[in-house]
Amino acid sequence: MKKLILLLVFFAQISFAQTVSNPGNQALDPSFALKSNGDVVLSWVEKSANGVLFFRKVNQGPAEQVPIDKKASTHAEGMPKLAYKADGTCILLYEMNRPTAASRFNGDLLYAMEVNGVWQKPQHIHQDTAAGLSHSFGKIISLPNGQVGAYWLDVKVGPKGRTLVTASTAPGLGFGDMKILDKQTCECCRIDALADTKGNVDVIYRDLNDKGERDMGYIHSNDFGKTYSESVPLYEDHWKVNACPHAGPSLVRGSKGLEAAWYTGAEGSSGVKWAYQGSKKMILHLPGDKIRMPQLASNPKGETALVFAEIKQDGDRYYKQIGFVVKDLSGKLTKSYVSDPAFDCSYPAIIWGGKSWIIAYEAVKEEVNQVVQVISK
């Protein structure tokens, strides 16, 4: 039985099908970046007979291959991703596995810079490059000073968990020294971060406290990342699990402040939660273990949108469908589904495209060629 992973993308002002990935390859890991001029950049991975390939697509332009190591790691929580400096320099961040006898999860985090259209040689973002260590689950964002900031999980320094660290680029240069933000976090979930022109930098991640609870942690800077607050729980789910959830959070700034979405498996309170960061007031709780992979986006009006993957059943067939919820300025929620139920869909990404929401996700359908569906919402 042949299964193909498909990438489906919704572009603004397009009402016809448009192929994004190569139908001959396995496409996965869609992610969005934004240039300083407002251009939306979609990137994704393709697995081919020659190894890992990486592509980007700017607005309605053609797909362009970006050089990446053929053995780069492609797991969804630590997928390759792009960010841009204000001067147009593009930065690619990706993982490379370096398994050892002690742990098959060890690896390095590398970045490459495209300067004036020319890609430079990849470099380690971390200073310690010894084998047997783990540096992964990176997030990169554009900063208001024109540079790029990075956040990732680094080596273990305490009895359990890993460290959350940060570093940023300098004019004409790559990333400098890293700084530890939290000495004990969950070992393997994606991170999200936001920065604004007022000096606020906000970071959300799956934490790990001394009780073994893996709830979301939140830290804040009001001086453009020079100093950060102590970590506090974003919301007390009290999910205690001796395993990695492989489910990181999403963070966005709406009309009433920061909003976060995440998955929790806490007993009696499982599901996807969407809440305001400051008041911890719940916007929406989609209960149960059939809803995963939440991602948020906002638009200039202050409206926010949530996408997620929901497991559904049709007879003996189980599949995931991409759900889409928009919150308007009055707080009203409008829910719909944007993926074809004939496909098994997962790992949605979302961004505001200027006039409509743009959504990308993976999809699998049996016994068919890869397809790409395009829609604006």
Side-chain angles (χ1 to χ4, degrees):
M1 183 177 295
K2 185 178 180 181
K3 285 191 175 183
L4 296 173
I5 296 182
L6 314 171
L7 179 68
L8 289 82
V9 185
F10 302 112
F11 280 92
Q13 297 180 318
I14 292 182
S15 58
F16 53 89
Q18 179 187 17
T19 299
V20 174
S21 57
N22 182 347
N25 296 330
Q26 175 182 318
L28 65 160
D29 293 348
S31 180
F32 287 112
L34 197 64
K35 291 186 176 183
S36 59
N37 64 359
D39 285 346
V40 173
V41 182
L42 169 68
S43 62
W44 69 93
V45 166
E46 293 183 14
K47 291 186 176 181
S48 71
N50 295 321
V52 173
L53 307 175
F54 189 64
F55 295 87
R56 68 181 175 191
K57 182 178 177 67
V58 181
N59 296 330
Q60 307 303 330
E64 175 190 1
Q65 187 170 347
V66 174
I68 196 172
D69 194 291
K70 301 300 183 183
K71 297 181 179 180
S73 178
T74 61
H75 64 94
E77 290 293 288
M79 66 179 71
K81 50 185 70 72
L82 302 174
Y84 287 82
K85 291 187 177 187
D87 65 4
T89 297
C90 182
I91 294 182
L92 163 65
L93 184 71
Y94 65 96
E95 295 180 22
M96 286 292 297
N97 291 333
R98 292 180 68 187
T100 63
S103 175
R104 62 186 177 91
F105 299 110
N106 291 330
D108 293 341
L109 194 60
L110 292 94
Y111 73 97
M113 297 196 300
E114 182 192 33
V115 181
N116 296 323
V118 178
W119 284 97
Q120 311 297 308
K121 182 179 179 181
Q123 306 175 59
H124 289 86
I125 198 171
H126 44 88
Q127 282 76 45
D128 192 343
T129 59
L133 302 177
S134 188
H135 321 265
S136 51
F137 298 93
K139 169 72 177 182
I140 46 177
I141 62 171
S142 298
L143 298 173
N145 64 357
Q147 298 304 308
V148 168
Y151 302 85
W152 71 94
L153 299 183
D154 211 82
V155 298
K156 180 179 180 180
V157 297
K160 56 184 177 180
R162 292 171 64 187
T163 53
L164 170 68
V165 301
T166 185
S168 60
T169 62
L173 300 173
F175 290 95
D177 294 340
M178 70 183 195
K179 175 169 54 178
I180 295 178
L181 302 179
D182 191 329
K183 293 183 178 180
Q184 183 173 286
T185 74
C186 185
E187 299 90 340
C188 49
C189 291
R190 69 171 71 181
I191 302 159
D192 206 0
L194 296 173
D196 67 18
T197 57
K198 297 179 180 179
N200 296 301
V201 183
D202 301 278
V203 186
I204 184 175
Y205 56 98
R206 191 173 291 281
D207 210 348
L208 174 61
N209 64 24
D210 292 335
K211 297 178 182 179
E213 296 171 340
R214 297 176 187 266
D215 295 339
M216 294 304 155
Y218 167 75
I219 58 175
H220 172 75
S221 172
N222 58 14
D223 56 9
F224 296 97
K226 294 179 182 178
T227 61
Y228 284 85
S229 64
E230 291 293 322
S231 177
V232 296
L234 179 89
Y235 194 92
E236 290 84 355
D237 290 312
H238 304 296
W239 185 18
K240 190 172 183 178
V241 55
N242 188 26
C244 180
H246 283 286
S250 184
L251 188 66
V252 73
R253 185 167 282 106
S255 61
K256 297 181 180 179
L258 291 174
E259 302 175 14
W262 68 97
Y263 172 79
T264 178
E267 185 175 355
S269 185
S270 66
V272 164
K273 293 183 176 180
W274 180 8
Y276 293 105
Q277 179 273 323
S279 65
K280 301 187 179 181
K281 177 182 177 183
M282 194 64 61
I283 298 169
L284 178 66
H285 179 199
L286 299 169
D289 60 1
K290 294 183 178 181
I291 300 177
R292 301 287 182 96
M293 310 169 191
Q295 290 292 292
L296 292 170
S298 63
N299 64 22
K301 292 192 296 184
E303 297 172 325
T304 50
L306 169 75
V307 288
F308 56 90
E310 179 176 352
I311 299 173
K312 294 189 174 184
Q313 183 179 3
D314 181 10
D316 294 333
R317 175 178 174 258
Y318 289 87
Y319 65 97
K320 295 181 293 295
Q321 193 168 16
I322 302 303
F324 173 61
V325 183
V326 175
K327 180 171 66 68
D328 66 18
L329 296 182
S330 71
K332 179 183 177 182
L333 302 177
T334 303
K335 181 181 177 182
S336 61
Y337 292 91
V338 297
S339 64
D340 185 339
F343 294 85
D344 182 15
C345 305
S346 56
Y347 293 108
I350 183 170
I351 196 170
W352 177 253
K355 294 184 179 180
S356 58
W357 305 102
I358 306 172
I359 304 169
Y361 52 91
E362 302 170 0
V364 175
K365 188 176 181 180
E366 298 178 358
E367 305 298 339
V368 298
N369 294 324
Q370 285 192 358
V371 298
V372 173
Q373 296 181 343
V374 178
I375 192 173
S376 64
K377 299 294 290 184

